[in-house]
Amino acid sequence: MFKKKEKKEWRSGVYLCTAKDSFDADLLESKLRSEDIPCERRYQGAGNFLEIALGANSTFPIDIYVPEETLEDAKNIIVAVPLEESDI
């Protein structure tokens, strides 16, 4: 789901991860913003056009960027926790 990239800057943030489509990007963005971490999307290819025209982008990946001072917190927030290890 996520590709590893070098620590690149874009606008006011640094690279966090790549979501495979707009649905995954929405989930990540929602989780980060609920923890008061601002984030920005950087669309690849015609992804931005597809999201505007069709309401969703399921073809091109979307890079997620966060402020550099929140990078470590953001990485800890988006890590998946296996259900069998959690105390439900």
Side-chain angles (χ1 to χ4, degrees):
M1 179 171 165
F2 305 113
K3 291 191 286 185
K4 178 98 170 147
K5 286 190 179 181
E6 297 174 21
K7 187 175 169 184
K8 290 197 239 179
E9 291 190 24
W10 185 67
R11 293 189 181 177
S12 61
V14 292
Y15 174 81
L16 173 64
C17 64
T18 299
K20 67 178 181 175
D21 56 24
S22 60
F23 179 74
D24 286 345
D26 288 342
L27 289 174
L28 289 168
E29 186 175 16
S30 174
K31 182 61 180 167
L32 290 169
R33 291 185 189 272
S34 73
E35 299 289 336
D36 294 325
I37 296 178
C39 60
E40 293 182 14
R41 296 179 182 198
R42 181 176 182 188
Y43 294 89
Q44 298 179 16
N48 194 18
F49 169 76
L50 290 174
E51 194 159 307
I52 292 169
L54 303 175
N57 167 20
S58 61
T59 309
F60 295 96
I62 302 168
D63 294 333
I64 307 292
Y65 287 77
V66 296
E68 187 169 8
E69 60 273 6
T70 64
L71 182 61
E72 289 305 314
D73 291 336
K75 284 181 180 179
N76 292 330
I77 289 168
I78 65 169
V79 172
V81 177
L83 289 177
E84 59 272 1
E85 292 181 15
S86 65
D87 296 327
I88 298 179

